[in-house]
C-alpha cells in the first residue's frame, strides 16, 4: 500500500513536470513563430484581393536599426508591392530557422546571407535564385571588383549590398597624449609597440572583438591558399605561427591585451570597454558606429580615429585586408514573386538601403548617394570622429580585400586549437601540428 | 463468453493507451528508426543528394579525436550526479528535522530547479570570472593567492560546469528525498532512539538504507538526464575553451545543427544511446547489492 501511494505520487509528479515543460515549450514556440505568420496570413488575404504583392524579406539586423525605415520608405512609394521584414538572429539557430522555413516552403522571398559558406550551402540546395537571368543590372559594374568574392561557381546568386569596413578604432585623445600619429598602414609589430606605449597602469592597451579576431590568418591564407600545392593543409604557414606568437606575447609578456580565457568567459563587452575610454585601441568593424553614435548608453568624451587592420607580412603592397562587400541578398528560387523581389532588390542596392548606414552598413553600389549614407552613418555625432582617418578607412583605402569563405568546421577546429594555445594548455608546435592534422582529416573527409 | 469479454477489455486497453502511443510512435519511434537509417548515409541537411555510405560514419567517429574528448568530458560531467545526490540527502535529512525557517530553506533550495537555465548560466559566468568575480574574490580574501581560473582554463572548466550542475539538480533531488524521508516510519526511529543510537548511526543504518530505492531512482534518472544535457553548457561555454567542455550531446548538436552533418550526428547519437544503455544495465544489475525494497 505504502509503495503504491509513493508510486502514484511519483507518477503524478513526473506527469506534472512533463506538463509544465510542455506548456512552457509550446508557449515559446507560439510566440516566436506562429504569431507573425498568422498576422501576415491575414494581411496576405486582404491584400491579394486588391491586387498587391506582399514580399517577405528575412534579415538579421534588428528592424529598428534601419530595415524598418527602409521598407517603410519603399512601401510608401510602391503601393503595389508591399515588403515585410522578418528578423532572424544571425547565429546557428537563426540560420537553421531560415533554412527550415525555406525548405518547408513557407513564404520567404528575399533573404540575407552573411557569409559565403551559408550562401554556398543554400545554392547547393537550390534555394537561391541564379540572378544571371536578370539582365538589367550589372552587379560587377555596380559593385566593383570586390563583388568577385561572392561569386559561387562563377555566378551571382545574390547581390552583395554593403561595403563592410574592418578597422582598428583608436582613442585619438589617448594617441595625442602619447604623441603617437594615427597610422595609415602598419604591421602587428607596430601595433604591439603602440599597445605598450598606450597601456596605463594595469589596464590594457588593445582589445579585440571576437568576430574579426582571426582575420590576420585569413588575410594571409586567402592569398597563399588554405591548402598547399599537394592538397594538404597550409595552416602551418610561417605567418600563422607569427600571429600566434605575437598575440600570445601581448597577452602574457606585455599584458597589453586580455588573455583569451578571461575575455571569452567574461563575454567582455568590448565596444563598451573601448567607448568608456578604458582601453585605447579596438579591433572591430563598421558596426561599432551603432554603439558609438549612441551617447545615452555609451557616453564618451574622446574623438575616435580609425586605422587599417595591421598586416603580418613586411611589405604593404602584398597585403589584403578583410572587408569588401557583405549582406549578400538572395531571392528564394521557389518564390512565386521573383520579379517583384528583383525590383525591390535593385532599389534597395542602389541607395534604398541608406538608412541602414546608421548601423554601420554603407551601400556598395556606385549609384548610391554616399553623402546620404555618410550623413545617416554619422548622424549628429560628426564632430566626435576624426574624419580624415574615417574617410580613408571607409572609402579611400585602395588595399585589395578578401571575403571570408572558410567552412564553419575549419573555423571551429582552428579556434579550438588556438584557444588551447592561448590558454597555455599546449605549445606552439603542438598547436600548429594539431591544426594541420585536423584540417587534413577534414579535407580528406570532404574530398 | 469469458474470452470475448477479455478481448473486449483488451481492445479497450488499446484505446486508452492509443493517444499516448500515437505520440510516441510519431515523435520518438519513427525518428529513432529514421536516424538509424541516416547513420549509414552522408545526409546533410539541405543537401539535395544523399548517398549510402555504409559504415563510413562509424569509422569516422572511431577515428575522431574530438569524439573521445567528448566521451571523457561526458564522464567528468556525470561525476556531478552522485555528488549532487549525496549533498541532497544530507540537506534533506537536516531539513526533515526541526530547524528554523525550514519551509523557507526548502523553497530556497528548490529555486534553481525552477529558474531559467540560461539566466542561471549568465549569473554563474559572472560569479566565476577569474579576475573580478566574487568567488575568486572570496578565495583571495581567505588567503588563496592563485585561485582556479574556473571557466577560463582548459583544466578547470569542466569542474566549474560540474559545480553549476550540482547546484542546479540539488533542489529536485532534495524534494524527492524529503518525500521519501516522510515515509520512514517513526516507530523505527523511536526504537533506535531508545536503543541509544546517535544521530549519525540513525542516518547511516536506518534512513540511508530505507531511502535506497529513492537513491537508485535518482541515480538512474539523474545520469540519463545529465548525459543528455547540453543546454546549460551551450549557454555558458559552447563547448570551449578549446573543446574542454564539449560533451557528447553538445558534440551531436554541433554536428547536426552547426555543420548540418546529419549522418555523422546520427551515428554519434546511437553511440550515446549505447553508452546510456550500458550505464543503465550496469546499475540495474548492481542494484541488488545495495537497494533494499
Amino acid at each position: 500500500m505504502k509503495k503504491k501511494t509513493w508510486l502514484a505520487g511519483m507518477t503524478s509528479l513526473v506527469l506534472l513536470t512533463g506538463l509544465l515543460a510542455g506548456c512552457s515549450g509550446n508557449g515559446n514556440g507560439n510566440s516566436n513563430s506562429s504569431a507573425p505568420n498568422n498576422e501576415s496570413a491575414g494581411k496576405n488575404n486582404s491584400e491579394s484581393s486588391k491586387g498587391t504583392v506582399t514580399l517577405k524579406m528575412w534579415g538579421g539586423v534588428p528592424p529598428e536599426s534601419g530595415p524598418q525605415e527602409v521598407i517603410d520608405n519603399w512601401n510608401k512609394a510602391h503601393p503595389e508591392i508591399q515588403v515585410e521584414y522578418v528578423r532572424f538572429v544571425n547565429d546557428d539557430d537563426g540560420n537553421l530557422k531560415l533554412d527550415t522555413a525555406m525548405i518547408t516552403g513557407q513564404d520567404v522571398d528575399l533573404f540575407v546571407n552573411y557569409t559565403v559558406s551559408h550562401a554556398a550551402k543554400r545554392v547547393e540546395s537550390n534555394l537561391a535564385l541564379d540572378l544571371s537571368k536578370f539582365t538589367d543590372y550589372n552587379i560587377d559594374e555596380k559593385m566593383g571588383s570586390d563583388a568577385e568574392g561572392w561569386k559561387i561557381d562563377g555566378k551571382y546568386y545574390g547581390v552583395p549590398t554593403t561595403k563592410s569596413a574592418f578597422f582598428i578604432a583608436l582613442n585619438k585623445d589617448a594617441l595625442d597624449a602619447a604623441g603617437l600619429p594615427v597610422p595609415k598602414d602598419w604591421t602587428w609589430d607596430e601595433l604591439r609597440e603602440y599597445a605598450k606605449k598606450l597601456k596605463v597602469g594595469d589596464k590594457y592597451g588593445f582589445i579585440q572583438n571576437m568576430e574579426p579576431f582571426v582575420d590576420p590568418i585569413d588575410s594571409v591564407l586567402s592569398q597563399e591558399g588554405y591548402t598547399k600545392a599537394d592538397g594538404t593543409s597550409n595552416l602551418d604557414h610561417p605567418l600563422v605561427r607569427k600571429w600566434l606568437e605575437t598575440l600570445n606575447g601581448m597577452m602574457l609578456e606585455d599584458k597589453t591585451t586580455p588573455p583569451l580565457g578571461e575575455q571569452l568567459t567574461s563575454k567582455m563587452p568590448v565596444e563598451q570597454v573601448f567607448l568608456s575610454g578604458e582601453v585605447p585601441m579596438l579591433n572591430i568593424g563598421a558596426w561599432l558606429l551603432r554603439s558609438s553614435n549612441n551617447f545615452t548608453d555609451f557616453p564618451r568624451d574622446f574623438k575616435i580615429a580609425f586605422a587599417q587592420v595591421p598586416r603580418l607580412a613586411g611589405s604593404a603592397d602584398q597585403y589584403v585586408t578583410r572587408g569588401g562587400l557583405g549582406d549578400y541578398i538572395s531571392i528564394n528560387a521557389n518564390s512565386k514573386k521573383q520579379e517583384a523581389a528583383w525590383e525591390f532588390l535593385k532599389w534597395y542596392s542602389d541607395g534604398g538601403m541608406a538608412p541602414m548606414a546608421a548601423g554601420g552598413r554603407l551601400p556598395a553600389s556606385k549609384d548610391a548617394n554616399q553623402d546620404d549614407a555618410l550623413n545617416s552613418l554619422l548622424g549628429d555625432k560628426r564632430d566626435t570622429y576624426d574624419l580624415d582617418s574615417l574617410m580613408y578607412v571607409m572609402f579611400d583605402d585602395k588595399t585589395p580585400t578578401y571575403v571570408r569563405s572558410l567552412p564553419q568546421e575549419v573555423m571551429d577546429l582552428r579556434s579550438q586549437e588556438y584557444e588551447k594555445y592561448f590558454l597555455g594548455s599546449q605549445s606552439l608546435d603542438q598547436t600548429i601540428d594539431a591544426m594541420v592534422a585536423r584540417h587534413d582529416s577534414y579535407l580528406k573527409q570532404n574530398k | 463468453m469469458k474470452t470475448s469479454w477479455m478481448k473486449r477489455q483488451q481492445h479497450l486497453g488499446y484505446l486508452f493507451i492509443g493517444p499516448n502511443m500515437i505520440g510516441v510512435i510519431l515523435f520518438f519511434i519513427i525518428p529513432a528508426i529514421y536516424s538509424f537509417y541516416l547513420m549509414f548515409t552522408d545526409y546533410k541537411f539541405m543537401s539535395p543528394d544523399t548517398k549510402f555510405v555504409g559504415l563510413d560514419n562509424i569509422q569516422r567517429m572511431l577515428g575522431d579525436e574530438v569524439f573521445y574528448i567528448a566521451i571523457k568530458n561526458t564522464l567528468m560531467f556525470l561525476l556531478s550526479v552522485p555528488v549532487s545526490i549525496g549533498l541532497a540527502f544530507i540537506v534533506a535529512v537536516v531539513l526533515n528535522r526541526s530547524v528554523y525557517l525550514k519551509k523557507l530553506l526548502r523553497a530556497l533550495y528548490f529555486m534553481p530547479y525552477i529558474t531559467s537555465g540560461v539566466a542561471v548560466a549568465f549569473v554563474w559566468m559572472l560569479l566565476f570570472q577569474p579576475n573580478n568575480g566574487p568567488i575568486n574574490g572570496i578565495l583571495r580574501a581567505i588567503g588563496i593567492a592563485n585561485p582556479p581560473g574556473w571557466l577560463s582554463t582548459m583544466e578547470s572548466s569542466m569542474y566549474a560546469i560540474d559545480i553549476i550542475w550540482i547546484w542546479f539538480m540539488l533542489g529536485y533531488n532534495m524534494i524527492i528525498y524529503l518525500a521519501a524521508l516522510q515515509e520512514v516510519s517513526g516507530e523505527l526511529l523511536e526504537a533506535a532512539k531508545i536503543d541509544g543510537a546517535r544521530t549519525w548511526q540513525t542516518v547511516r543504518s536506518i534512513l540511508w538504507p530505507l531511502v535506497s530505492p529513492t537513491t537508485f531512482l535518482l541515480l538512474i534518472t539523474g545520469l540519463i538526464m545529465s548525459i543528455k544535457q547540453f543546454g546549460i553548457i551551450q549557454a555558458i561555454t559552447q563547448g570551449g575553451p578549446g573543446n574542454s567542455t564539449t560533451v557528447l550531446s553538445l558534440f551531436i548538436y554541433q554536428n547536426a545543427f552547426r555543420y548540418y552533418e546529419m549522418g555523422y550526428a546520427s551515428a554519434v547519437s546511437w553511440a550515446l544511446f549505447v553508452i546510456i544503455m550500458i550505464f543503465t544495465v550496469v546499475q540495474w544489475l548492481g542494484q541488488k547489492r545495495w537497494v533494499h525494497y
Side-chain angles (χ1 to χ4, degrees), chain A residues 103-334:
Chain A
I103 280 194
T104 53
Q106 295 176 44
D107 43 338
V108 178
D109 300 299
L110 293 141
F111 56 94
V112 190
N113 305 282
Y114 294 94
T115 65
V116 179
S117 51
H118 275 122
K121 265 184 195 156
R122 286 164 192 154
V123 169
E124 193 194 339
S125 12
N126 305 318
L127 292 174
L129 187 68
D130 174 8
L131 296 185
S132 57
K133 74 176 233 191
F134 299 109
T135 48
D136 55 338
Y137 194 91
N138 187 333
I139 296 174
D140 283 315
E141 195 183 291
K142 294 262 186 180
M143 306 297 170
S145 56
D146 281 348
E148 225 23 56
W150 284 97
K151 272 191 178 166
I152 296 167
D153 302 330
K155 285 184 191 158
Y156 288 112
Y157 290 87
V159 183
T161 52
T162 59
K163 214 196 274 280
S164 32
F166 291 83
F167 47 70
I168 309 285
L170 304 159
N171 180 335
K172 182 104 184 355
D173 297 14
L175 249 64
D176 290 346
L180 295 168
V182 176
K184 272 215 157 133
D185 60 306
W186 53 340
T187 62
W188 276 93
D189 291 333
E190 282 164 326
L191 179 136
R192 190 171 172 178
E193 286 309 307
Y194 265 64
K196 269 191 218 165
K197 286 181 190 145
L198 289 168
K199 181 179 161 71
V200 184
D202 57 357
K203 287 187 185 144
Y204 298 117
F206 173 61
I207 45 173
Q208 308 197 62
N209 186 287
M210 288 316 292
E211 213 285 326
F213 184 82
V214 72
D215 286 354
I217 300 187
D218 286 322
S219 158
V220 173
L221 297 183
S222 64
Q223 298 310 297
E224 311 265 322
Y226 287 97
T227 52
K228 298 198 181 93
D230 59 355
T232 56
S233 169
N234 200 13
L235 284 171
D236 54 357
H237 193 282
L239 288 179
V240 174
R241 179 178 289 265
K242 160 112 180 161
W243 176 74
L244 287 166
E245 276 173 335
T246 309
L247 274 184
N248 201 45
M250 291 179 72
M251 287 176 195
L252 301 181
E253 288 161 37
D254 306 356
K255 298 193 193 310
T256 48
T257 198
L260 189 60
E262 185 192 319
Q263 171 159 5
L264 288 180
T265 51
S266 59
K267 307 224 160 161
M268 188 180 281
V270 286
E271 284 93 339
Q272 193 207 323
V273 171
F274 172 74
L275 292 172
S276 69
E278 200 181 314
V279 175
M281 294 196 289
L282 168 65
N283 182 8
I284 198 168
W287 67 92
L288 170 71
L289 277 293
R290 197 154 70 195
S291 312
S292 61
N293 282 339
N294 176 354
F295 272 52
T296 347
D297 296 331
F298 307 99
R300 154 168 75 93
D301 55 6
F302 61 89
K303 244 186 186 179
I304 301 179
F306 301 84
Q308 194 184 62
V309 178
R311 61 181 189 274
L312 285 164
S315 109
D317 44 286
Q318 282 166 23
Y319 179 59
V320 296
T321 189
R322 175 158 174 219
L325 307 178
D327 288 18
Y328 189 65
I329 305 187
S330 302
I331 297 176
N332 186 349
N334 303 319

Side-chain angles (χ1 to χ4, degrees), chain A residues 329-349:
Chain A
I329 305 187
S330 302
I331 297 176
N332 186 349
N334 303 319
S335 164
K336 294 188 180 63
K337 308 161 195 159
Q338 290 169 357
E339 300 293 329
W342 176 242
E343 286 307 314
F344 173 75
L345 182 51
K346 278 190 294 186
W347 171 85
Y348 179 96
S349 316

